Amino acid sequence: MDNRPIGIMDSGVGGLTVACVLKEKYPNEKFIFIGDTARNPYGNKSPEEVTFFAEEMKAFLAGKQVKMIIAACNTITFSAVSYTHLRAHE
């Protein structure tokens, strides 16, 4: 059994809703949440900026030895540059 936590990243605190649902569905899992409240909202940022921010959060979570990372931010999820770039590093 993989006891490493699951990482969740968001541009703010909205992703805490995702974290709560996941905690209900998977009560034996551990979670690490990072919300970038210092630079949100992401909607007015360029795809390159969103990519940079997402990479920073991804690196933070990877440093915590997470077994997977969930992007709970629509802007990260739907930004073509961010999505392609993040997936390339799986």
Side-chain angles (χ1 to χ4, degrees), residues 52-71:
F52 179 79
F53 300 155
E55 284 294 332
E56 283 187 328
M57 288 188 285
K58 179 182 156 190
F60 171 82
L61 291 169
K64 298 293 182 182
Q65 310 271 319
V66 296
K67 61 182 157 192
M68 73 173 70
I69 298 173
I70 296 171

Side-chain angles (χ1 to χ4, degrees), residues 21-90:
V21 170
L22 289 170
K23 187 64 180 165
E24 285 177 18
K25 289 195 168 274
Y26 305 100
N28 296 324
E29 292 288 349
K30 294 178 184 148
F31 298 91
I32 298 176
F33 178 86
I34 182 170
D36 187 4
T37 58
R39 299 181 287 203
N40 76 340
Y42 279 14
N44 61 349
K45 307 287 194 279
S46 71
E48 292 78 18
E49 285 178 295
V50 173
T51 298
F52 179 79
F53 300 155
E55 284 294 332
E56 283 187 328
M57 288 188 285
K58 179 182 156 190
F60 171 82
L61 291 169
K64 298 293 182 182
Q65 310 271 319
V66 296
K67 61 182 157 192
M68 73 173 70
I69 298 173
I70 296 171
C73 173
N74 285 335
T75 307
I76 291 172
T77 302
F78 291 107
S79 172
V81 171
S82 296
Y83 184 73
T84 305
H85 188 75
L86 287 171
R87 300 248 339 155
H89 291 71
E90 289 182 336

